[in-house]
Amino acid sequence: MSYSPREQGVATIHDVARAAGVSRSTAARALAGYGIVSKEAAERVLAAAAELDYRANGVARSMKTGRSNTLGAVVADIENAFFARVMRGFTDVARANGFQVILSNTDEDPGAEQSAVRVFQERRVDGLVVTPASLDPTGHLYAAHAAGLPIVLLDRRVPGLDVDVVQIDNVKAARETIEHLIALGHRKIAMLTGVTEMEVSVHATNLDSGVSTSKDRLQGYREALDAAGIDYRPDYVRTADFHLMAAREEAERLLRLRDRPTAVFATDSTNALGVLLALRDVGLHVPQDVSVVAFDDADWADVVEPGLSVIAQPVHEMGRLSARLLVSRIRGEALPPTQHVLETQWLARESIGPPPHRRRAVLPA
Amino acid sequence: MSYSPREQGVATIHDVARAAGVSRSTAARALAGYGIVSKEAAERVLAAAAELDYRANGVARSMKTGRSNTLGAVVADIENAFFARVMRGFTDVARANGFQVILSNTDEDPGAEQSAVRVFQERRVDGLVVTPASLDPTGHLYAAHAAGLPIVLLDRRVPGLDVDVVQIDNVKAARETIEHLIALGHRKIAMLTGVTEMEVSVHATNLDSGVSTSKDRLQGYREALDAAGIDYRPDYVRTADFHLMAAREEAERLLRLRDRPTAVFATDSTNALGVLLALRDVGLHVPQDVSVVAFDDADWADVVEPGLSVIAQPVHEMGRLSARLLVSRIRGEALPPTQHVLETQWLARESIGPPPHRRRAVLPA
DNA sequence: TTGAAAGCGCTAACAG
DNA sequence: CTGTTAGCGCTTTCAA
């Protein structure tokens, strides 16, 4: 009991070589399948390796080669269906290319993101995919990029960081959605969004310098209102974090406004769920009293009554493309950094309709 | 352009030592904070490290120490909300203890699981959490365990593998759920479940040798029926993989049986969603025509109409406990392997009620 | 309190 | 075709 029990795959290439009666180099060549080895030697090595249950030591290999065959993923929250699906696409492509994926949740906390990036650098990941938690303290991303680490930004941009970005056209998707509601006759359209930089963007003077998903979606919202000559009402724009109960509370506040909106635009599926819960709490009906529309085609969107109209993002493809970009950059196929804008899909279901004809100033019962 | 751009954190401890005018050993001691270093030396080293933006090379450290500070997670499908939440709990505790988490999806494919375990061993992870995709070809888990790698089984057992297991009492939870339906008057109770080992277990003669979540749930289902003197009907037990459309199709088949069940028990939230979709397709109402109950308290369970009654698993705690067990085992606090059975919670909502009084042999319209 | 030196297991010239 | 050799960057005795 005096050794550590952590002697998994205790056989080294040295042991294999000795058992096969060859040198370490020959054993290495036979095992990793490079260089030239005679058939008999290779067979003896492979047999010895099987016999000893040899596992190559990936750590030693990484140390020597400088590559870890590992990709780091820094996501906001793996519990959010959007990120879970994106990661699924990402890991599939990564694995198909021989890369493992290390995962880190930031919970939208820039500090957590910073330390995750640092740890990943120390681990010598070969590339990094990040959904940046903020615009502001991004020095760590610049530094990592400057140090030569391939980075892909997923879902969100960072100003001035010249790397590949995979996202959708959030401004356009939001604008078109709001235009759609306006065409139906709505003029009192509220928006429930995540916290990301909202505090900044709501008060920002120069919106078109904006980045970050929420900021873009807010901009699209405002553009549509502007074009229709509808005044922007700050009290119609609420921010919740990405947790269901927070969304529900904010939504309820929205629905209890004296001048209640006739439509609510939720920027993700958790917020949408919060809106639906709040509508029930308050006793309002969709779409007769309030129309609802949201980003992301959650698996339940077609099961709730009425079906939720959504802007579907190509979640898997966003993950897959991110992985492909990272892999090709790691392989040195260095194209100039590009912003990849994927297409969204509008899925019209039953949760939107014309606004109620008569304004009701008070809530039912 | 002749060097690789992959020179992140190019400064080594050697560079830091030289810049600080000390030896590598002293620099190492100062940086990692062990041994004894004079105050001035430490200060010079730290300053030099900051100046050079030094990042310790974790790969080299792992090579030397034999520890990677990394935990491997082999899960069936990160897109499934259950696993996503479990992983959230797991990564939180792992990170709090200084471990990174490497993730691998198996998609319920034993081959993928096997190669994932192999890769993790090669990467020299310090511990492994696994939701085994099958009972059968588990040689790789035995081998890894025998080689001294700490392993925790999550959600599912494997016969004879003497390691910590974190799960709920699936037999009991299923039995009580079915008993509840029987108490309401149901006698025609169907079950929609995942593929895991169902093919085996449905035809197995010796069910109580069973493992695997689905098998246990099936057993609980059968025990409840037996106790009530209700015959087991194979046509009432359908298996779908964990994808929504497959679940929907199987559920529809169930609902189109001539002798339609009056209640459906779904073993996870995706299957539950499939049942709800199928009910709508077929034009049946919950709970008047059919009662529905499922495992896992999905975030939408309270938003659909009527609210879905569920058996809630302590998802975060399952992940957190798995991580705690792994960490303490890695630290050598070796308790005997234990099976940790966590409590479920029955959340009664509106999706269950008494069966319809009159049997309808044909479907509406 | 510090430095020299050895070595973790592997890969990759290079020489044979 | 095969073996020798020299490290990758770090930690850790062991002497000084």
Side-chain angles (χ1 to χ4, degrees):
Chain A
M1 224 20 187
S2 61
Y3 325 135
S4 145
R6 292 281 301 94
E7 312 231 321
Q8 46 167 312
V10 75
T12 73
I13 204 167
H14 195 107
D15 303 318
V16 174
R18 201 166 32 198
V22 297
S23 72
R24 295 207 306 273
S25 344
T26 300
R29 282 189 275 257
L31 289 166
Y34 66 93
I36 304 167
V37 193
S38 72
K39 206 159 191 167
E40 308 97 69
E43 273 166 13
R44 286 213 309 284
V45 170
L46 263 23
E51 173 66 29
L52 297 170
D53 195 28
Y54 169 74
R55 305 274 128 126
N57 185 327
V59 176
R61 175 177 294 153
S62 289
M63 160 102 106
K64 180 64 187 173
T65 62
R67 277 166 290 110
S68 62
N69 289 312
T70 300
L71 267 24
V74 184
V75 300
D77 180 11
I78 193 64
E79 270 189 280
N80 182 306
F82 172 77
F83 292 115
R85 291 177 174 188
V86 167
M87 281 314 296
R88 176 59 196 275
F90 186 85
T91 55
D92 281 354
V93 169
R95 199 180 57 184
N97 285 277
F99 289 87
Q100 293 293 120
V101 176
I102 312 188
L103 184 70
S104 208
N105 270 300
T106 66
D107 241 334
E108 304 286 356
D109 170 9
E113 175 182 311
Q114 192 156 358
S115 84
V117 170
R118 184 181 187 98
V119 170
F120 283 161
Q121 281 191 278
E122 293 188 351
R123 281 275 199 291
R124 298 299 192 263
V125 297
D126 295 327
L128 213 51
V129 62
V130 185
T131 58
S134 131
L135 307 174
D136 203 27
T138 46
H140 54 294
L141 291 180
Y142 287 104
H145 179 232
L149 180 63
I151 296 181
V152 169
L153 257 30
L154 182 55
D155 181 51
R156 306 168 184 184
R157 278 170 290 147
V158 166
L161 186 57
D162 192 28
V163 301
D164 287 310
V165 182
V166 173
Q167 59 174 183
I168 60 159
D169 188 337
N170 285 292
V171 177
K172 177 172 160 233
R175 192 195 327 112
E176 290 178 353
T177 302
I178 303 302
E179 282 170 356
H180 196 73
L181 291 170
I182 292 171
L184 284 169
H186 292 273
R187 301 191 58 85
K188 297 190 290 183
I189 303 169
M191 174 166 172
L192 186 63
T193 181
V195 287
T196 319
E197 291 307 308
M198 276 302 300
E199 276 64 41
V200 174
S201 56
V202 168
H203 306 294
T205 48
N206 181 10
L207 260 177
D208 60 16
S209 77
V211 282
S212 123
T213 309
S214 295
K215 209 168 175 180
D216 285 354
R217 291 177 187 173
L218 178 65
Q219 186 185 333
Y221 166 88
R222 296 192 68 160
E223 285 181 6
L225 294 185
D226 282 354
I230 300 170
D231 280 345
Y232 171 74
R233 296 179 52 163
D235 60 333
Y236 275 4
V237 176
R238 323 284 310 199
T239 72
D241 61 25
F242 292 101
H243 296 283
L244 182 54
M245 286 311 137
R248 180 184 201 158
E249 282 164 26
E250 284 304 326
E252 183 161 345
R253 242 164 247 149
L254 221 35
L255 297 173
R256 290 199 186 280
L257 286 176
R258 192 172 302 273
D259 195 17
R260 188 206 311 143
T262 61
V264 180
F265 166 47
T267 56
D268 79 341
S269 57
T270 300
N271 276 321
L273 228 28
V275 171
L276 297 183
L277 282 168
L279 281 163
R280 190 169 62 190
D281 293 344
V282 172
L284 292 169
H285 294 283
V286 179
Q288 297 88 335
D289 299 314
V290 177
S291 290
V292 181
V293 44
F295 264 91
D296 296 340
D297 188 32
D299 51 9
W300 50 261
D302 197 24
V303 177
V304 294
E305 292 284 354
L308 183 66
S309 297
V310 300
I311 304 117
Q313 301 191 67
V315 278
H316 286 126
E317 185 52 23
M318 290 172 82
R320 298 175 63 86
L321 177 59
S322 303
R324 282 199 300 273
L325 289 169
L326 222 35
V327 168
S328 61
R329 212 159 274 284
I330 289 165
R331 292 194 180 135
E333 304 157 12
L335 310 164
T338 310
Q339 197 172 320
H340 301 261
V341 178
L342 303 187
E343 289 299 313
T344 55
Q345 200 184 351
W346 167 248
L347 296 179
R349 289 195 270 248
E350 302 81 39
S351 66
I352 60 176
H357 273 300
R358 305 185 60 76
R359 157 185 322 189
R360 281 179 282 169
V362 283
L363 292 169
Chain B
M1 223 23 187
S2 62
Y3 325 134
S4 147
R6 292 281 300 91
E7 314 231 320
Q8 47 165 311
V10 75
T12 72
I13 203 167
H14 194 107
D15 302 318
V16 174
R18 201 167 30 195
V22 297
S23 72
R24 297 206 304 272
S25 340
T26 301
R29 283 188 274 256
L31 288 167
Y34 66 93
I36 305 168
V37 191
S38 72
K39 205 161 193 168
E40 309 98 69
E43 273 167 14
R44 287 213 309 284
V45 170
L46 263 21
E51 172 67 29
L52 297 170
D53 195 28
Y54 169 74
R55 307 274 128 125
N57 184 328
V59 176
R61 175 178 293 152
S62 289
M63 160 106 105
K64 181 66 186 171
T65 61
R67 275 165 292 108
S68 62
N69 289 312
T70 300
L71 266 26
V74 184
V75 301
D77 180 11
I78 193 65
E79 269 188 280
N80 182 306
F82 172 77
F83 292 115
R85 292 178 174 187
V86 167
M87 281 314 296
R88 176 58 196 275
F90 186 85
T91 54
D92 281 354
V93 170
R95 199 179 56 183
N97 285 278
F99 289 87
Q100 292 292 121
V101 177
I102 312 187
L103 183 71
S104 206
N105 269 299
T106 67
D107 239 335
E108 304 287 357
D109 170 9
E113 175 181 311
Q114 191 156 357
S115 83
V117 170
R118 181 177 190 99
V119 169
F120 283 161
Q121 281 192 278
E122 293 189 351
R123 281 275 198 292
R124 298 299 191 264
V125 297
D126 295 327
L128 213 51
V129 62
V130 185
T131 57
S134 132
L135 309 173
D136 203 27
T138 45
H140 55 292
L141 291 180
Y142 287 104
H145 179 233
L149 180 63
I151 295 181
V152 169
L153 256 31
L154 180 56
D155 181 51
R156 306 168 183 184
R157 277 170 291 146
V158 167
L161 186 58
D162 193 29
V163 301
D164 287 311
V165 181
V166 174
Q167 59 174 182
I168 60 158
D169 188 338
N170 285 292
V171 176
K172 176 172 162 236
R175 191 195 329 111
E176 290 178 354
T177 302
I178 303 301
E179 282 169 358
H180 196 73
L181 290 170
I182 291 171
L184 284 169
H186 292 274
R187 302 191 58 85
K188 297 189 292 184
I189 303 169
M191 173 167 172
L192 186 62
T193 181
V195 287
T196 320
E197 290 307 308
M198 278 300 303
E199 276 64 42
V200 175
S201 55
V202 169
H203 306 294
T205 50
N206 182 11
L207 261 178
D208 59 16
S209 76
V211 280
S212 121
T213 309
S214 295
K215 210 168 175 178
D216 285 354
R217 292 177 187 173
L218 178 65
Q219 185 186 333
Y221 166 87
R222 296 192 67 160
E223 284 180 5
L225 294 185
D226 283 354
I230 300 172
D231 281 343
Y232 171 74
R233 296 179 51 162
D235 60 332
Y236 274 3
V237 177
R238 323 284 309 200
T239 73
D241 60 26
F242 293 101
H243 296 282
L244 182 54
M245 286 310 138
R248 179 185 202 158
E249 281 165 26
E250 285 303 326
E252 184 162 343
R253 244 165 245 149
L254 221 35
L255 297 173
R256 290 199 186 279
L257 285 177
R258 194 172 299 274
D259 195 18
R260 189 205 312 140
T262 62
V264 181
F265 166 47
T267 57
D268 79 342
S269 57
T270 300
N271 276 320
L273 228 28
V275 171
L276 298 182
L277 282 168
L279 281 162
R280 191 169 60 189
D281 293 342
V282 173
L284 293 167
H285 293 283
V286 180
Q288 298 88 334
D289 300 313
V290 177
S291 289
V292 181
V293 45
F295 263 92
D296 295 339
D297 188 33
D299 52 9
W300 50 262
D302 198 25
V303 178
V304 294
E305 291 287 352
L308 182 67
S309 297
V310 300
I311 305 116
Q313 302 190 66
V315 278
H316 285 126
E317 184 53 24
M318 290 173 81
R320 299 174 64 87
L321 177 58
S322 303
R324 282 200 299 273
L325 290 170
L326 222 34
V327 167
S328 61
R329 212 158 272 284
I330 289 165
R331 292 193 179 137
E333 304 156 11
L335 311 163
T338 311
Q339 197 172 318
H340 302 261
V341 178
L342 303 187
E343 290 299 313
T344 56
Q345 199 184 353
W346 168 248
L347 297 179
R349 290 195 269 248
E350 302 80 38
S351 66
I352 60 177
H357 274 300
R358 307 185 56 76
R359 156 185 324 188
R360 280 180 279 167
V362 283
L363 293 169

